[in-house]
Amino acid sequence: SPIDIAADGATATNATSIALRGLHHARAGLTVYNDGHALGVSVCGGSAHDCSALASFGTWPKAVRGIADENADTYFLARLRFHWGSNVGRGSEHAVCGYSAAAEMQFEVVNTNPNVTSDRRDPASGTKYVVLGTMIEGGAAEDNAAFASILGAVPRDAGATGEASARLDELLAADFDTKYFTYAGGLTEPPCSQQVTWHLAQNSVRLSNRQLDQLRAATTPMHGHDVSYKALFFPFAAIAMGTATE
């Protein structure tokens, strides 16, 4: 992961669902950080305790790995991550039919089930993470207000932090919970564990070119999408055909 999704070859399914809770109100005091690989926004960090930003994906993270279990897990939103390049034609980690966007935002959520381990000998370990990816385009006539605080707090130097506020549901693309590609894959950073169920929204969000420049102002010495990134083909991807879950 990530991959170049061949949309025409994706398998249609209505077995998936996305239900998010606690993202509809403004959150202040969000830590925006530059870890040298990407820009991150810490939401719940490493713990689900006292975190109201929750998600469920039905039984899909299990079903896509061949696990027969009708119990849906609950996930908490640990962080947001942004990846970008130097121009509008490169920067996203995913590609669709060979097309890359200017940037990509990822909501990283973690399974609250304490019995899910990182031991890859256990098939259930593959349900540990879910990531919601959203392609970001430039060219908007005006700044996207939903992203203004986060992009205004982008730390230029690796290791630096800033502070922002945002209403998290307003960052997502239209129809993110009904129109998306999904597949079983891995983390995009070492150790690249195959423990992620990916969802990539079919629709994108749009920023102004000025806002993209704010993102590009961050110095990320380990960020390789500008010159070396090439998406990989993955043998199975599904396209959601279901409806949103409240």
Side-chain angles (χ1 to χ4, degrees):
S1 308
I3 66 173
D4 185 346
I5 295 173
D8 291 343
T11 301
T13 181
N14 59 6
T16 70
S17 64
I18 297 176
L20 304 182
R21 304 194 303 275
L23 274 65
H24 60 284
H25 58 84
R27 288 176 176 267
L30 296 171
T31 299
V32 184
Y33 60 90
N34 178 345
D35 64 7
H37 177 79
L39 177 72
V41 181
S42 181
V43 182
C44 299
S47 173
H49 296 297
D50 301 321
C51 180
S52 62
L54 301 174
S56 177
F57 305 91
T59 59
W60 180 248
K62 297 175 182 178
V64 75
R65 291 174 172 81
I67 300 172
D69 186 344
E70 296 183 358
N71 297 309
D73 290 332
T74 298
Y75 292 75
F76 70 91
L77 178 56
R79 64 189 64 84
L80 281 58
R81 290 177 71 76
F82 293 83
H83 299 272
W84 64 92
S86 63
N87 61 55
V88 296
R90 55 175 53 181
S92 60
E93 289 208 314
H94 282 88
V96 177
C97 299
Y99 173 78
S100 297
E104 183 174 334
M105 174 182 65
Q106 297 167 355
F107 278 43
E108 297 183 359
V109 301
V110 182
N111 201 324
T112 61
N113 185 345
N115 296 320
V116 176
T117 72
S118 297
D119 185 350
R120 292 298 294 128
R121 293 171 296 181
D122 179 4
S125 66
T127 68
K128 190 173 182 65
Y129 305 103
V130 174
V131 179
L132 303 179
T134 304
M135 299 287 216
I136 297 176
E137 308 282 6
E142 298 180 354
D143 287 351
N144 187 324
F147 289 82
S149 181
I150 291 174
L151 296 178
V154 169
R156 182 178 180 85
D157 299 320
T161 62
E163 186 173 301
S165 61
R167 189 175 140 170
L168 300 176
D169 63 332
E170 293 183 345
L171 304 178
L172 294 162
D175 300 322
F176 75 92
D177 50 3
T178 56
K179 296 180 179 179
Y180 52 88
F181 301 101
T182 178
Y183 66 96
L187 298 170
T188 64
E189 300 174 31
C192 301
S193 303
Q194 297 296 302
Q195 296 179 276
V196 181
T197 303
W198 283 90
H199 295 68
L200 181 69
Q202 291 185 52
N203 294 323
S204 61
V205 298
R206 191 170 294 277
L207 305 180
S208 68
N209 292 336
R210 187 189 78 85
Q211 287 180 304
L212 282 178
D213 287 340
Q214 287 180 299
L215 197 56
R216 294 171 182 144
T219 303
T220 51
M222 294 180 287
H223 193 282
H225 304 299
D226 189 44
V227 294
S228 61
Y229 170 68
K230 181 174 177 59
L232 301 175
F233 176 76
F234 193 84
F236 172 79
I239 182 170
M241 302 295 289
T243 57
T245 301
E246 295 297 334

